[in-house]
Amino acid sequence: EVQLVESGGGLVQPGGSLRLSCTASGFTFSSSWMTWVRQAPGKGLEWVALINQDGGGEFYLDSVQGRFFISRDNAKNSLFLQMNSVRAEDTAVYFCTGANEPGTTNYWGQGTLVTVSS
Amino acid sequence: DIVLTQSPLSLPVTLGQPASISCRSSQGLVHSDGNTYLSWFQQRPGRSPRRLIYQISNRDSGVPDRFSGSGSGTDFTLKISRVEAEDVAIYYCMQGTGWPWTFGQGTKVEIK
């Protein structure tokens, strides 16, 4: 059974930092594209960042470029999102997602809530 | 960025009746590798999204065959042949052809 389990969410002040983690099981993590997708309260879905299988390629949403950093540890089947200089508009549920094929995602975690507020 | 526009945004449907959701792209979605990376997701209330369809018309394992996807170029459609109570959800189209990947605004399917 495929499982993606996120952790690390919580309340953070504007300008602060947070590190999200995602642990994967039930599929070949090292062969999978991995991404972070977020959903603001009551809103739609938005891609945040994507990383390729060996971690050598990363893509970011313009609004998080230079503030957020995606990384992975294939030996530990883990995905990370380092969030720096957070803003109120970063408040959302962050989902870890993955796929073993290009241009889509078919594995989703349960999400972790990040709230940016003073 | 590629913009995906879904219609309608709200879709009341009678149980057992068909439903159709349109997704129009601001640009063609054929990738340089020849594939069209257009997927459909279902998000039930309080749940994580679940992929139903990938590359326009390929149904995921375990997805009921009442769900089907079609289209080409910039116009795509998700159809539910006979809506059941468990289909109450928000449906999103998504493109993975160009970065940033983008989602449509979502279409809320509810029972009349």
Side-chain angles (χ1 to χ4, degrees), chain B residues 21-100:
Chain B
I21 300 170
S22 169
C23 176
R24 289 190 169 174
S25 174
S26 61
Q27 303 174 32
L29 295 184
V30 179
H31 192 273
S32 56
D33 64 9
N35 294 314
T36 300
Y37 295 115
L38 189 284
S39 305
W40 289 94
F41 293 84
Q42 175 195 64
Q43 188 175 29
R44 291 173 172 148
R47 304 290 297 274
S48 300
R50 165 201 184 195
R51 194 179 70 181
L52 302 175
I53 303 283
Y54 63 98
Q55 289 188 38
I56 301 177
S57 59
N58 296 288
R59 201 165 39 242
D60 273 281
S61 174
V63 174
D65 60 9
R66 64 179 180 274
F67 289 93
S68 64
S70 63
S72 65
T74 60
D75 289 342
F76 304 92
T77 302
L78 176 71
K79 291 183 179 177
I80 310 174
S81 59
R82 296 172 304 279
V83 171
E84 298 189 5
E86 66 179 17
D87 300 334
V88 168
I90 298 176
Y91 293 83
Y92 296 92
C93 58
M94 170 254 157
Q95 68 80 23
T97 293
W99 187 259

Side-chain angles (χ1 to χ4, degrees), chain A:
Chain A
E1 180 193 5
V2 170
Q3 278 199 317
L4 292 171
V5 180
E6 301 96 336
S7 61
L11 176 63
V12 57
Q13 291 188 339
S17 297
L18 208 59
R19 190 190 195 211
L20 306 184
S21 300
C22 170
T23 301
S25 60
F27 66 102
T28 307
F29 181 81
S30 60
S31 300
S32 302
W33 292 81
M34 297 298 297
T35 83
W36 289 96
V37 175
R38 68 185 179 186
Q39 187 169 37
K43 302 297 185 182
L45 301 167
E46 182 178 54
W47 293 104
V48 174
L50 175 151
I51 189 167
N52 70 353
Q53 292 91 331
D54 65 7
E58 304 162 24
F59 298 88
Y60 296 94
L61 183 67
D62 280 353
S63 61
V64 308
Q65 181 83 45
R67 300 189 297 123
F68 291 10
F69 300 93
I70 188 172
S71 62
R72 65 190 296 161
D73 183 340
N74 286 344
K76 296 183 178 179
N77 284 0
S78 295
L79 179 73
F80 307 99
L81 185 68
Q82 178 66 42
M83 305 171 62
N84 299 328
S85 303
V86 297
R87 306 167 180 167
E89 55 264 36
D90 297 322
T91 293
V93 173
Y94 284 72
F95 294 100
C96 166
T97 89
N100 50 15
E101 58 216 49
T104 186
T105 191
N106 55 330
Y107 309 136
W108 290 75
Q110 84 287 352
T112 187
L113 176 62
V114 173
T115 302
V116 182
S117 174
S118 55

